Amino acid sequence: MSPRERSPRGSDTERDRPSILGDLSLGAQLSLRGGREVVLRTVLTAIGVGVATAALLLAASLPTILDNLAQRHADRMDYQVAPYPEPPAGDDTLLVGLADTQYDGRDIHGRVVRAEGSDPPLPPGLAEIPGHGEIVLSPALADLLGDPEAKALLQGFDHHTVVGEIGPEGLMGPGELAFYLGSADLSLENAGIRVTEYGGEPRAVLEGTVILLIGVVGVVVMLTPVVVFLGAAVRFGGEQRDRRLAALRLMGADRRATRRIAAGETLPGVALGLALGTGIFFLGRPIVESVSVSSGLFTADVTPQPLLALLVLVGVPMLSLWVVLGSMKGVVVDPLGTVRRAERPSPRLWWRLLLLVLGVVLIVLSMDFEISRRLGLTGAAWLPLVSIGLLAVLFGTTAALPWLVERVFGRASSGPLSLQLALRRLGAAGGGPTRAVSGIIVTVAGAIALQSLFANAWAESTVVRAETRTQAYAEDEFGGSGFQIQADLMMPPPDNDPVAAVSEVPGVEEAVAFSTVWGVADSGADVVVHVADCAALRQMADLPECSPGDAFSGVPGLAAGDTVTVRPKDERAESAWTVPRLTEFEGPLVEHPWNAWGHTARDVVLATPEAAVLPGEIATRSSVWIRVDPSVPGMEDELRFAVVALDPTSHVGFPMLSATYSAMINMRDALIAGALASLAVIAAGLVVGTVEQVRGRRRVHAVLTAFGTRRSTLVASVLWQTTLPVLLGVALAATVGTALGLLVQRVAGIPLAFTPIDTLVIVGAGVGVAFLTTLLAIPALLRTMRPEGLRSE
């Protein structure tokens, strides 16, 4: 073919390019100049896309958040990276003692420090090492100490001089409670460590397969409703758009042109939504510093990862166009009007079930480590598979809902008039009503699976410090019974009486002080030496007559004059102790907290201070046994900080407390925040979607009202129209969510458990959100029943 013969075709192609741009431009102009209704649709689309974009940008910030948290945690590592054996003291060494504690259930990161030279390593966030009696506080702890209600906390810190605040680089978040206290009394012998530098290798904040799995499930569950909401947002005003396209067909536009015009009509709303969402995200970032979830986040932490941010800004318009063009497949736009296919094909079930099966298979493959090894999936390579599997199951659940609605409600023809109107609307609207509640279905199914997984992991991560919470010890000369707790002091001040200090705390019924050292006898037997006065020793064992200078032992072969090599528990120093005159006893030892290691009379020496003349270089561990009344309000915090005032490195063990891994606590707080955000997005989408559907049928409502239909009947029909798919969808979501939770527990190796109460709460929340948002749409419904709705142009 000659160039002359090909040129006309080339000219047609060149003429087609301006027509494509012209159609897109015409659609964009219609969305901005097509009247109040069209502009309102564009605004609603922009709001929906903006909310979805902001949520997706927040999700795109998750890698940066985790990296920053891991880096700050690594930068302030001290005892985790302390060299062993300890280097000699020098100008570049710093002694560090652990002083972590709690207040009102919140963890406090505490350190006691002493510079051994002129150039010690500085902890992150500090300008200089505090001197003796000086303290540097985090901003959150400083604010809390200024609260007049925090009297117990103030008791532990009011005798120190505040010399500064910890900078952001030394904190996990703006809400973290932390302090660095200078003390000249700190030494290696009283549980200090010597460091020459700070910092270690960053590690993942969410460690362990179960923690990672919960994180993946949580992110998928929180983001899937956002994607569903985005798909619903770009469909706002679909019926009015189709009528406008019919008018354009009458003016000569072909079917291809109408599709391009529809795409162009969507673009301004999407573009405005991207700008709005980006603005909401960046303007809302400072809010994270005021959110009281764990230690919180700094504003700089919430920065989208560049590649993910680009994916959001490109993916949102592409997804929007795909949804709009896909929604027109079931619509015939002719010059004489818009026809929605009256006889829609019945929803096919096979591909919907295929999604569910595919998701289950991927989850099993990703979590079965033997199969993963054979497939070459090492490390965290299972994360993409389990994410895709979860998405397939959740979207398969929503995809199965139209089929269920068709089967359950498609042939119903009886009942009150309001129910029949709702059923007719459900049958005529296709997937519209089900799309409106898809966000609820996804969230309910995912939340049930997530909650069941998290509840079991939480139970697995909780360690009870005492086998029984109500261990009351028998009647003795002190009389009464109560909870037994113990306070361990590594560096108590010599001029303070710990018994007198703790006895002033309301709720303390009795206190007994004693000291402990560990040693090895000449025979090789381990020996525990408890030193206390006679009254305290009688609380430890059933002893014969006791007076100052006495010592008691049941250790076989141990006699006066023998040598015991004694040392503190940290084994940093040791020396010989000559055993004094001993009185044998056979016990039994009373079940006290100090006897948590299960000692018997055969490995314990009980000595009065006059008998236990220990070498001066040996640092004993001082302890106070305390009997308390746990019913006294605030007793725990007041007692804890009364001991902290004596020794900031002390530890008070409450039998009624349980210890939970901090990663699980942080995960719980993050999931609660994410669930609230998802519910807010879903509620906004439902309100806008329901109002848009009501406005789209205003002429029908006006006609029905003019012919005598009661308003209450129309209101009830709208409630039925929303409630029926929600009830059916929630039942489906509860079934799938429960099965999914059990499946994930099974493949993750967590004991299977079902939590019906929590499931009912989640289901009730989903139904409640749908019902509430429908009620919010009733004012718009009542306005459509006015006679003005009969007017037509």
Side-chain angles (χ1 to χ4, degrees), residues 262-279:
E265 194 172 344
T266 304
L267 289 178
V270 173
L272 290 174
L274 286 175
L276 178 63
T278 304

Side-chain angles (χ1 to χ4, degrees), residues 410-433:
R411 298 175 177 83
S413 59
S414 60
L417 179 59
S418 60
L419 178 59
Q420 294 184 44
L421 287 174
L423 294 177
R424 292 283 294 175
R425 177 59 181 165
L426 287 175

